[in-house]
Amino acid sequence: MLESPENRHFMRMAVNADVKVTLRNERGEQQLQGVCLDLSAAGLSLQLPASAEIGDSLFAEIGSSGSVAPLKITAEVVRSQRLEDNSGDFILGCRIISMD
């Protein structure tokens, strides 16, 4: 049995970093700017100005300060939820497929 409060296999780290996202689905590709809220070895959560369907794929490039190269992630959307703050933004929960 997992003993973390959220029953996760990997600990999440708050990131709150700018992210560039290419969302891919049957309608094509959509370029978005948003915020990577947190990141773990298995997934990440993103705040974006558009919704996504469960199963959509995305490519995320998380910026960093200084001379460190951005983190590049390919992921699958596993959750999409509209924020209740009237911003029109969505929180996407994503499973990481690959990371560079």
Side-chain angles (χ1 to χ4, degrees):
M1 181 165 189
L2 299 174
E3 295 185 26
S4 70
E6 297 182 20
N7 293 328
R8 296 181 178 273
H9 291 283
F10 301 100
M11 296 297 296
R12 283 192 293 182
M13 178 177 64
V15 177
N16 294 314
D18 292 337
V19 63
K20 296 178 192 174
V21 173
T22 302
L23 184 61
R24 299 181 182 113
N25 56 34
E26 69 278 350
R27 296 180 305 272
E29 288 189 355
Q30 184 178 13
Q31 305 292 319
L32 302 165
Q33 297 283 329
V35 176
C36 177
L37 301 172
D38 58 54
L39 177 66
S40 77
L44 70 158
S45 63
L46 305 170
Q47 182 173 341
L48 297 173
S51 67
E53 297 295 323
I54 293 173
D56 285 354
S57 64
L58 62 82
F59 174 76
E61 190 170 310
I62 302 170
S64 63
S65 59
S67 61
V68 178
L71 180 61
K72 298 177 182 179
I73 296 173
T74 301
E76 176 186 6
V77 176
V78 296
R79 181 177 49 85
S80 180
Q81 178 180 347
R82 180 186 284 277
L83 285 176
E84 296 179 7
D85 65 0
N86 295 324
S87 68
D89 284 358
F90 288 78
I91 301 294
L92 304 185
C94 304
R95 179 181 61 86
I96 294 173
I97 296 168
S98 66
M99 197 173 352
D100 287 330

